[in-house]
Amino acid sequence: MPDNNTVKSKRDMTMERMKAKYPERNFDDDEAFFGQINDDYDDYDKRLAESQSREESFSNMFTSNPKSARLMMEWKNGNDPVVALIRIYGKEDILSAIEDPEKLEAIETANKEFAERVAKNDEYDAQYEKNLPASLQAIEDWASKSGVSDDDIDNAVTALSKLCGDFILGKIAPESIEMILKAQNYDSDIEQAQMEGEVAGRNAKIEEKLRKGKQGDGTVALNGKNGQGVGSCPKRDLGALDRYDSGRRSIFERGGEKRIQRR
């Protein structure tokens, strides 16, 4: 009976994790296996450095202005940031800052940027609401025609959403580029494989015919032992003259005479 208590090696456990994380990759080659581990470590170090940089920025901000830390905590806990802003800074301080002539230009610029961002977001939302129904219908029609399940569609949309989100944040993984390249070259790869299959099939048929020809395909060999040759016909019965036909020599050869060709 198999031993169900077999302890897996660290390498086997790592291999299982890598295959689960990258199901489309082949890690039979050690170079690919350890290369991916090295890439993951590089990505981890990069993310860690970015996280530490953000934490340092927040720490410096909170240290320089402790009230900003209180505001962030209020916002984090689900409280209205505007209400929290008044609670922390006071209505008078906020109004006096708004009416300060030295800050007026900066406040107007910030408010203009805010209005433009809201307008742009509203425009994006309107386009999204307009385009989404047609997109969903097109996907549903294609899935029904192609036999694609709803679960596969959901998984594909989730992967696409993550890919787009990462791109917006500037996170572009080599695996994403590899996936796009495979998708772009899919039709040409299929066509090339079909052409190679057709050529291989024709070559196999030609080789089979040549092989059968060498072994004997039923064709009578010319002037061979098993046939009379092209143009040959059965010998006529000459009666008594057949006795003098030794070795099928001509009558002139048997009589010791030479045949003279008349022009």
Side-chain angles (χ1 to χ4, degrees):
M1 297 179 60
D3 185 5
N4 296 327
N5 297 323
T6 302
V7 179
K8 295 181 180 179
S9 66
K10 297 295 184 181
R11 189 182 190 283
D12 291 340
M13 295 173 61
T14 304
M15 180 69 76
E16 289 181 358
R17 292 184 61 183
M18 296 295 287
K19 289 183 176 180
K21 186 177 181 181
Y22 304 101
E24 73 284 356
R25 298 293 300 275
N26 184 2
F27 294 114
D28 293 339
D29 181 15
D30 284 347
E31 188 69 21
F33 176 61
F34 289 105
Q36 186 61 61
I37 293 178
N38 185 67
D39 292 342
D40 285 356
Y41 269 117
D42 289 342
D43 182 65
Y44 171 78
D45 291 340
K46 179 182 177 182
R47 291 172 182 268
L48 181 60
E50 292 174 351
S51 177
Q52 290 175 342
S53 177
R54 289 192 297 267
E55 289 180 0
E56 183 177 357
S57 298
F58 276 111
S59 177
N60 293 336
M61 180 184 69
F62 295 154
T63 302
S64 62
N65 189 347
K67 290 184 178 182
S68 62
R70 288 182 56 195
L71 176 62
M72 294 298 295
M73 291 302 299
E74 291 268 358
W75 195 356
K76 172 181 175 296
N77 293 332
N79 298 325
D80 190 325
V82 176
V83 175
L85 186 65
I86 295 175
R87 181 184 297 115
I88 295 171
Y89 288 93
K91 180 179 178 181
E92 292 75 13
D93 289 345
I94 295 176
L95 291 177
S96 62
I98 294 175
E99 296 172 357
D100 188 346
E102 295 182 356
K103 298 181 179 179
L104 183 60
E105 183 178 356
I107 290 175
E108 289 180 350
T109 300
N111 188 64
K112 181 180 178 180
E113 293 175 353
F114 169 77
E116 291 177 349
R117 186 171 65 254
V118 170
K120 182 63 67 175
N121 288 338
D122 290 342
E123 179 184 350
Y124 288 155
D125 290 341
Q127 292 183 9
Y128 179 87
E129 295 296 334
K130 177 182 178 182
N131 296 330
L132 184 61
S135 298
L136 293 178
Q137 185 62 49
I139 293 174
E140 183 178 353
D141 294 342
W142 169 82
S144 177
K145 181 179 179 181
S146 304
V148 180
S149 67
D150 292 342
D151 290 339
D152 290 338
I153 294 296
D154 292 340
N155 293 334
V157 170
T158 300
L160 180 62
S161 176
K162 182 179 184 305
L163 183 64
C164 293
D166 289 344
F167 182 81
I168 292 175
L169 297 177
K171 298 188 295 183
I172 305 175
E175 294 78 19
S176 301
I177 299 298
E178 182 181 9
M179 180 179 64
I180 297 298
L181 291 176
K182 287 181 178 179
Q184 290 176 336
N185 298 329
Y186 178 80
D187 289 339
S188 60
D189 290 342
I190 292 296
E191 182 179 358
Q192 180 67 24
Q194 290 176 343
M195 292 177 59
E196 292 176 355
E198 292 175 359
V199 171
R202 287 196 297 267
N203 290 341
K205 290 181 179 179
I206 294 173
E207 292 177 358
E208 181 66 14
K209 289 181 179 181
L210 294 175
R211 183 183 64 80
K212 288 184 177 180
K214 291 179 180 180
Q215 294 178 353
D217 56 2
T219 303
V220 179
L222 299 180
N223 296 325
K225 294 181 179 180
N226 296 328
Q228 296 175 347
V230 177
S232 64
C233 60
K235 180 182 177 183
R236 290 179 296 174
D237 185 7
L238 300 180
L241 293 177
D242 285 339
R243 295 192 300 271
Y244 298 96
D245 186 11
S246 59
R248 292 191 177 182
R249 294 180 299 165
S250 68
I251 191 173
F252 301 101
E253 293 172 334
R254 292 196 302 271
E257 301 179 8
K258 294 183 179 179
R259 182 176 181 182
I260 300 176
Q261 182 179 3
R262 298 185 183 271
R263 297 181 180 273

